[in-house]
Amino acid sequence: MPGERPTPPQPAQPYHPPQAYAPPPGGGAPPGGGAGRGGSAVPGQPGQPGQSGQQQAAAAVRRPRTGAGARPMPRTRKARLRVAKADPWSVMKVSFLLAIALGICTVIAAAVLWMVMDAMGVFSAVGGTLSEATESKKGSGFDLESFLSLPRVMAFTSIIAVINVVLATALATLGAFIYNLSAGFVGGVELTLAEDE
């Protein structure tokens, strides 16, 4: 309208994008530059030079803290392995030693069992019954106590232990050869091993 003064043009102001977090209380940027020059727009977050607003917003996300007394959960690593081949020589050595240990345990167990049964009077009671049942006019009946004497029982048990050692070693070695042949066709036995960190 006539008589009114024209409004002087206002200088253009730079565009400031909206910030996700409010500036620290007290106003103003901390010494060393504003938010765009390396300052931090989030309390407790140190500024880094050349950091944009999005990077500062990502850095401002609070991370969960582990308590001083809390222990982290152990992780378990698993590995799936396959027994592709069994060495027959090592299988023979291990089976031989195990068979010897089993034979020694068998001899000791037989000796202990015989002593316990003899102390309980089992041989005398059963032997008297068999002697009366098998007694005839020509002679006395069957003597169980002399037949099942300790030396004879130990000799019989030792023979069984030796046969067991030979058979167990031979069968284990033959089993290793058969396993190697079958593993060549089907790939062998698969095992899953776990390790706690």
Side-chain angles (χ1 to χ4, degrees):
M1 294 181 66
E4 292 184 357
R5 294 183 179 179
T7 305
Q10 297 181 355
Q13 296 181 355
Y15 174 73
H16 296 282
Q19 296 182 357
Y21 296 90
R37 296 185 179 180
S40 174
V42 182
Q45 296 289 338
Q48 296 180 359
Q51 208 175 29
S52 63
Q54 295 181 355
Q55 294 177 350
Q56 290 179 357
V61 177
R62 300 184 62 183
R63 298 178 181 176
R65 297 182 179 178
T66 305
R71 300 177 61 183
M73 296 295 294
R75 294 186 304 172
T76 302
R77 295 189 304 175
K78 293 184 179 180
R80 192 171 184 179
L81 304 178
R82 184 180 60 189
V83 183
K85 183 180 180 182
D87 187 16
W89 175 248
S90 63
V91 171
M92 184 183 70
K93 291 188 294 184
V94 173
S95 61
F96 178 71
L97 292 178
L98 291 178
I100 288 180
L102 182 60
I104 294 174
C105 293
T106 303
V107 172
I108 295 176
V112 172
L113 181 62
W114 188 93
M115 292 178 183
V116 171
M117 293 180 68
D118 185 55
M120 294 174 61
V122 175
F123 295 126
S124 60
V126 177
T129 304
L130 288 177
S131 178
E132 294 177 359
T134 58
E135 187 177 4
S136 62
K137 297 179 180 180
K138 297 181 180 180
S140 59
F142 179 73
D143 190 4
L144 182 64
E145 293 185 20
S146 61
F147 180 77
L148 293 180
S149 61
L150 183 59
R152 182 172 293 182
V153 170
M154 289 294 98
F156 184 71
T157 307
S158 301
I159 293 174
I160 293 178
V162 171
I163 295 175
N164 183 31
V165 169
V166 175
L167 288 179
T169 306
L171 290 177
T173 307
L174 181 61
F177 281 108
I178 295 176
Y179 176 80
N180 291 337
L181 291 176
S182 61
F185 292 101
V186 299
V189 178
E190 292 185 356
L191 303 175
T192 301
L193 305 180
E195 178 185 3
D196 294 335
E197 294 183 353

